[in-house]
Amino acid sequence: MVFIEVIKSIILGIVQGITEWLPISSTGHMILVDEFLVLNTSAEFKEMFLVVIQLASILAVILLYFKKLNPFDSSKDDAQKKETWHIWYKVLIGIIPAGVFGLLFEDAIHELFYNWYTVAIALIVYGIAFIIIEKRNEGKIPQISTWSQLTYKTALIIGFFQVLALIPGTSRSGATIVGAILIGTARPIAAEYSFFLSIPVMLGATFLKLVGFGFSFTPEELAILIAGCIFSFVVSIFAIKFLMNYIRRNDFSSFGWYRIIIGIIVIGYFGFIA
């Protein structure tokens, strides 16, 4: 039955690759998928699997933005290399708030908020927030439209918006992108910064999960993990490209409506059917 489990992991990888980058909450979608598509593995492996396939999504960012993120690129002049280093410094500053809050309150957050009704409420509340914020910003010219205009202070403020994503159903990309837009950042810069913030966060989380689980996989577990990672990686490339093209011509209101609909579906299913 390994083939069936591999097919399940492929579907999970596809869902992860799409929802990690679009501001629609990967957690909200994963709890729905998990109701109908349960991996027949140990709980420890499944927990590790769901984190590691997120790392595969992060590798898509590294591939797509490798030149922009590489300060050692020989084709860059000194000024460009310096700007690349400043991008990384701003990323490191931006992950501090979520890192501190996560370390201090991770257990409490899991105990209190990792349930379907928190996810449903977060989906709906932030969906409404997306619509309101985009309506408020309609016609406004962004104050920050280049990386040089993104100050360290602004980077830290956006980092505090990422703290909101510790609550499941919020969406890490959604919290950081919309938070950045709220304080005057252009959508392309806000999206890129959100992508880059995920790199050190997911590298650290994956390392801890792999160390906790150990590196002794059965052949079946390895097949499941590799299949999920491959599809998460490939689908992430298309999702990132889609989002960047989409936000150059559109706002986030459609994602807000979509979140509200998914939130209602979560309430309907878990509140009245499951």
Side-chain angles (χ1 to χ4, degrees), residues 1-260:
M1 300 300 290
V2 176
F3 177 75
I4 300 299
E5 300 307 312
V6 169
I7 295 298
K8 291 178 183 177
S9 75
I10 288 173
I11 295 172
L12 290 170
I14 292 171
V15 174
Q16 164 61 31
I18 295 172
T19 59
E20 179 66 30
W21 305 113
L22 304 187
I24 54 178
S25 174
S26 58
T27 305
H29 287 75
M30 282 298 190
I31 68 163
L32 278 175
V33 173
D34 190 53
E35 279 292 299
F36 306 100
L37 199 72
V38 181
L39 278 177
N40 188 24
T41 63
S42 67
E44 293 78 13
F45 174 82
K46 182 179 176 181
E47 184 179 351
M48 179 275 299
F49 170 85
L50 292 175
V51 173
V52 175
I53 61 171
Q54 291 181 56
L55 175 64
S57 295
I58 303 307
L59 294 178
V61 172
I62 296 174
L63 174 68
L64 291 173
Y65 291 95
F66 185 77
K67 183 177 178 62
K68 187 164 196 168
L69 292 172
N70 182 12
F72 305 107
D73 190 337
S74 58
S75 66
K76 293 181 177 179
D77 58 31
D78 290 342
Q80 291 171 323
K81 290 178 180 179
K82 184 178 179 180
E83 182 180 358
T84 303
W85 280 116
H86 280 293
I87 290 175
W88 278 112
Y89 298 152
K90 291 167 186 176
V91 167
L92 293 176
I93 285 175
I95 66 173
I96 290 173
V100 171
F101 277 86
L103 287 172
L104 292 176
F105 303 111
E106 181 181 14
D107 292 339
I109 290 170
H110 272 268
E111 184 178 346
L112 293 173
F113 299 117
Y114 271 69
N115 48 65
W116 68 264
Y117 36 91
T118 298
V119 169
I121 291 170
L123 281 165
I124 294 171
V125 168
Y126 285 100
I128 294 171
F130 282 13
I131 296 168
I132 293 173
I133 289 170
E134 288 292 8
K135 190 68 177 177
R136 171 185 174 274
N137 282 11
E138 191 174 3
K140 288 187 177 181
I141 299 175
Q143 298 173 334
I144 303 166
S145 56
T146 65
W147 274 99
S148 60
Q149 292 174 330
L150 183 71
T151 66
Y152 288 98
K153 178 182 177 181
T154 303
L156 183 62
I157 293 172
I158 296 172
F160 276 102
F161 280 103
Q162 188 173 221
V163 174
L164 298 173
L166 294 173
I167 305 299
T170 300
S171 170
R172 186 197 55 76
S173 62
T176 52
I177 293 173
V178 174
I181 292 171
L182 187 61
I183 58 177
T185 308
R187 289 187 187 89
I189 297 296
E192 286 186 357
Y193 188 52
S194 172
F195 298 160
F196 300 163
L197 282 176
S198 66
I199 296 173
V201 171
M202 289 315 305
L203 284 174
T206 302
F207 175 76
L208 291 175
K209 285 294 181 185
L210 284 172
V211 170
F213 181 80
F215 293 88
S216 56
F217 302 104
T218 66
E220 293 80 9
E221 289 174 339
L222 194 58
I224 292 168
L225 184 61
I226 290 173
C229 285
I230 289 173
F231 277 83
S232 176
F233 171 76
V234 173
V235 172
S236 288
I237 291 174
F238 289 100
I240 292 168
K241 288 183 175 181
F242 165 78
L243 181 63
M244 293 305 294
N245 288 328
Y246 180 87
I247 62 178
R248 288 187 178 95
R249 300 184 296 273
N250 304 277
D251 63 23
F252 280 87
S253 297
S254 56
F255 292 118
W257 288 112
Y258 178 84
R259 289 175 62 96
I260 292 170

